[in-house]
Amino acid sequence: MAAVKIDDMEHESKDVQDDTEILDDTADAKDPEDQVKKKKKKRKKKKNNAETAEDGSVMENGEGPGVSVDTQAAENGVAGITLDGDKDEAEGDAAEEAGGENKKKKKRNRKKKGAAGDGSAASGAKQQTVPPSIPIAELFPEGNYPEGEICEYPTDKDGRTAMNRMTSEDKKMLDQSHSQLYEEMRLAAEAHRQTRQYMKSIIQPGMKMFDICEELEATARKLIREKGLEAGLAFPTGCSLNHCAAHYTPNAGDQTVLGYDDVCKIDFGTHINGHLVDCAFTLTFNPKYDELLKAVKDATNTGIREAGIDVRLCDIGERIQEVMESYEVELDGKTYQVKAIRNLNGHSVGQYRIHAGKTVPIVKGGEATRMEEGEVYAIETFGSTGKGHVHDDMETSHYMKNYEVGHVPLRLAKSKQLLNVINQNFGTLAFCRRWLDRLEQTKYLMALKNLCDSGIIDPYPPLCDQRGCYTAQFEHTIILRPTCKEVVTRGDDY
């Protein structure tokens, strides 16, 4: 529209200019002196108009001062479009000026950076700190925690095992009835994910194993918002090194230091109301162990893939062993076959019960017991460059109350007092000596031995293969939901 308006005004200015020239010629004929003056005046005007046209401020044909007013107004409107970037507003302002209306310009509403709806910032949600310190419940105030990896169940040969579970309305309703349990496990899993990701970023060779465990557990307690038996750690942090495969955590005074050539298994768990997750990974710094870690990770993922409702546990173990032992690793010029550690297993998980009764073998020949709907399993595999068999070794650090034990009379007052502390703080969950020290318990070793001898507490010493070999572990917790299989602890790392 602006271009059209500018062209009309040019024609008008030409007509006015022609009329002016006719009048000037008539006047010139009457008075020679006036004619000379007017000619000079005309040349001066033309010169001024030509200069202003070069500057772009006035059109070349707009010679008369009365003609250039509308043209300048139109040009100001065009300039407003270019400068402000708002065509409608600029044209409106130009029209108001041309019409002689004295209205105020409307105030432009500019969006502020970070305002809701512009996608530049979260809508008031808290962001996790570094190091992590904000409880997971505060990061997700509505209680909708991140789901794990959702997998369909494997289809059996007859095609009926997993048929229509994802779409069945009955299964969906049954699934919905357990939503509270799933959310509690997802909260625990998110605390586990954020804790392990932070620890992976700070663990370095030269750190004491004691300090690593203390930092990890302090972080997990903050994120899970520890509260007695309602929320907290499910068992002590395992940090078994090299030939030691499981159940090692440093006791007070342990000065073990993590080395560059060590293979460290980090195994810890979190829980909400006893609904716990059990998850582990292997940490190395020397790339020569990469193939060992790859073998064990692949075996664990195979176990997860094969697991499902009505699947036999022995079939899972056979597939795990087949995959793991297909790998070889070369260490210092010597080639080793990666062996599945045959006397270590995955296991079912219950409320306040880390080992709920069923075991998931990692070698061929296990039980023919089947997995059932609604069960929770910790699928874990262990690979070794040694014999593939572990035995008790080193000083005991892990302990756990026997889930099946009833009332046992105790004679020692110290044993009774220690048992009360264990019942109040751990229940049937595993604990370690460091945790008793943290509760300011002193001179408790004799009482603890008495509780073990009485069958109330079970000791869990470190499990080791032959010295000089290397072992690795990966583990995830899965929920056999009515509609699907959820790997609740799955993360971007593994």
Side-chain angles (χ1 to χ4, degrees):
M1 298 294 290
V4 175
K5 289 177 182 178
I6 290 172
D7 290 341
D8 290 342
M9 287 185 286
E10 287 177 0
H11 289 301
E12 291 176 3
S13 64
K14 284 181 180 179
D15 295 337
V16 174
Q17 183 180 352
D18 293 339
D19 293 340
T20 306
E21 288 177 354
I22 292 168
L23 292 172
D24 290 341
D25 292 339
T26 305
D28 292 343
K30 292 180 181 179
D31 190 351
E33 291 183 4
D34 292 342
Q35 186 176 0
V36 174
K37 290 179 180 179
K38 286 180 180 180
K39 283 183 179 180
K40 289 181 179 180
K41 196 174 183 180
K42 278 184 184 180
R43 290 193 194 100
K44 191 174 182 181
K45 282 183 181 180
K46 286 182 180 180
K47 187 177 181 181
N48 291 337
N49 289 340
E51 288 176 356
T52 53
E54 287 176 1
D55 295 336
S57 58
V58 181
M59 296 297 294
E60 187 175 355
N61 292 330
E63 296 176 6
V67 179
S68 63
V69 173
D70 293 337
T71 308
Q72 288 175 356
E75 286 174 350
N76 288 338
V78 176
I81 295 171
T82 306
L83 294 174
D84 297 335
D86 191 339
K87 184 175 180 179
D88 295 336
E89 183 181 339
E91 288 180 355
D93 293 341
E96 287 175 4
E97 290 177 8
E101 296 178 1
N102 295 323
K103 293 182 180 179
K104 293 183 178 179
K105 291 184 180 180
K106 291 183 180 179
K107 193 172 183 179
R108 185 177 304 163
N109 294 324
R110 296 181 182 273
K111 287 184 179 180
K112 295 181 179 179
K113 291 184 179 180
D118 67 351
S120 61
S123 57
K126 288 187 177 181
Q127 299 295 321
Q128 188 56 272
T129 60
V130 180
S133 60
I134 301 176
I136 301 301
E138 293 184 13
L139 297 178
F140 300 91
E142 295 181 359
N144 298 321
Y145 303 103
E147 282 188 340
E149 180 187 16
I150 302 299
C151 310
E152 291 189 22
Y153 287 113
T155 303
D156 205 354
K157 293 178 182 178
D158 58 8
R160 294 180 298 174
T161 302
M163 196 173 184
N164 299 327
R165 280 189 172 273
M166 296 284 282
T167 57
S168 169
E169 292 300 325
D170 291 340
K171 295 299 182 183
K172 287 181 179 179
M173 290 180 64
L174 186 58
D175 200 39
Q176 187 63 31
S177 67
H178 295 97
S179 60
Q180 181 63 30
L181 181 148
Y182 302 153
E183 291 297 340
E184 290 180 347
M185 293 192 68
R186 288 167 187 159
L187 192 164
E190 183 63 19
H192 194 287
R193 271 190 294 271
Q194 293 194 20
T195 299
R196 76 189 188 222
Q197 287 169 3
Y198 167 64
M199 293 306 299
K200 283 182 177 182
S201 69
I202 67 167
I203 295 177
Q204 295 294 332
M207 295 178 67
K208 290 184 179 180
M209 302 310 297
F210 187 94
D211 295 337
I212 291 173
C213 292
E214 287 290 297
E215 178 65 22
L216 186 151
E217 291 168 359
T219 302
R221 287 187 175 104
K222 291 176 186 175
L223 299 188
I224 202 69
R225 192 184 272 166
E226 187 179 39
K227 186 181 179 183
L229 292 175
E230 294 180 15
L233 299 174
F235 53 87
T237 302
C239 55
S240 307
L241 296 175
N242 303 327
H243 72 288
C244 181
H247 296 172
Y248 164 76
T249 195
N251 291 322
D254 191 329
Q255 299 297 316
T256 303
V257 174
L258 180 64
Y260 175 78
D261 289 321
D262 286 337
V263 179
C264 179
K265 281 73 66 182
I266 301 292
D267 187 357
F268 70 102
T270 52
H271 79 93
I272 298 290
N273 293 321
H275 299 125
L276 58 91
V277 297
D278 183 1
C279 189
F281 62 95
T282 300
L283 190 64
T284 61
F285 304 99
N286 194 328
K288 69 180 182 179
Y289 302 114
D290 288 351
E291 202 66 16
L292 173 62
L293 271 60
K294 183 179 178 182
V296 181
K297 187 183 294 184
D298 192 3
T300 298
N301 288 331
T302 299
I304 292 170
R305 186 170 56 252
E306 295 294 322
I309 296 170
D310 291 335
V311 174
R312 297 193 306 174
L313 297 174
C314 59
D315 294 338
I316 298 174
E318 183 176 356
R319 287 290 296 125
I320 288 173
Q321 183 179 20
E322 180 182 338
V323 169
M324 186 179 297
E325 296 188 353
S326 67
Y327 284 84
E328 292 181 341
V329 55
E330 184 177 340
L331 300 175
D332 302 325
K334 188 175 181 181
T335 302
Y336 300 87
Q337 181 188 23
V338 180
K339 297 180 181 177
I341 300 180
R342 56 185 177 273
N343 58 335
L344 288 178
N345 310 282
H347 48 89
S348 59
V349 175
Q351 189 174 16
Y352 291 107
R353 193 175 185 186
I354 188 65
H355 297 154
K358 292 183 179 180
T359 59
V360 183
I362 61 174
V363 292
K364 183 179 179 180
E367 297 179 358
T369 308
R370 295 180 183 271
M371 291 180 161
E372 299 177 36
E373 182 181 296
E375 290 181 326
V376 179
Y377 282 89
I379 304 295
E380 60 181 323
T381 66
F382 295 83
S384 174
T385 61
K387 294 180 178 180
H389 186 277
V390 294
H391 57 277
D392 296 348
D393 196 4
M394 302 193 299
E395 185 180 39
T396 302
S397 54
H398 285 56
Y399 300 86
M400 186 167 64
K401 186 178 178 182
N402 190 321
Y403 193 84
E404 306 292 343
V405 73
H407 175 71
V408 177
L410 296 171
R411 297 180 61 184
L412 296 176
K414 183 63 176 177
S415 298
K416 293 178 181 180
Q417 182 268 335
L418 182 61
L419 182 58
N420 286 335
V421 171
I422 292 170
N423 287 334
Q424 291 173 10
N425 293 276
F426 314 122
T428 54
L429 296 174
F431 61 96
C432 63
R433 293 189 196 177
R434 285 188 296 106
W435 291 5
L436 293 176
D437 297 337
R438 184 171 176 268
L439 294 172
E440 299 180 351
Q441 297 299 303
T442 58
K443 300 179 180 179
Y444 55 79
L445 289 179
M446 185 64 71
L448 184 59
K449 184 178 183 304
N450 179 241
L451 293 175
C452 292
D453 293 342
S454 302
I456 300 173
I457 302 295
D458 292 327
Y460 290 86
L463 301 173
C464 303
D465 202 336
Q466 66 181 10
R467 289 187 178 274
C469 74
Y470 297 95
T471 59
Q473 172 196 16
F474 280 95
E475 178 180 20
H476 276 299
T477 298
I478 65 172
I479 309 172
L480 300 184
R481 292 168 50 183
T483 56
C484 61
K485 171 174 54 182
E486 181 175 351
V487 189
V488 70
T489 52
R490 180 75 79 187
D492 294 335
D493 48 354
Y494 68 93

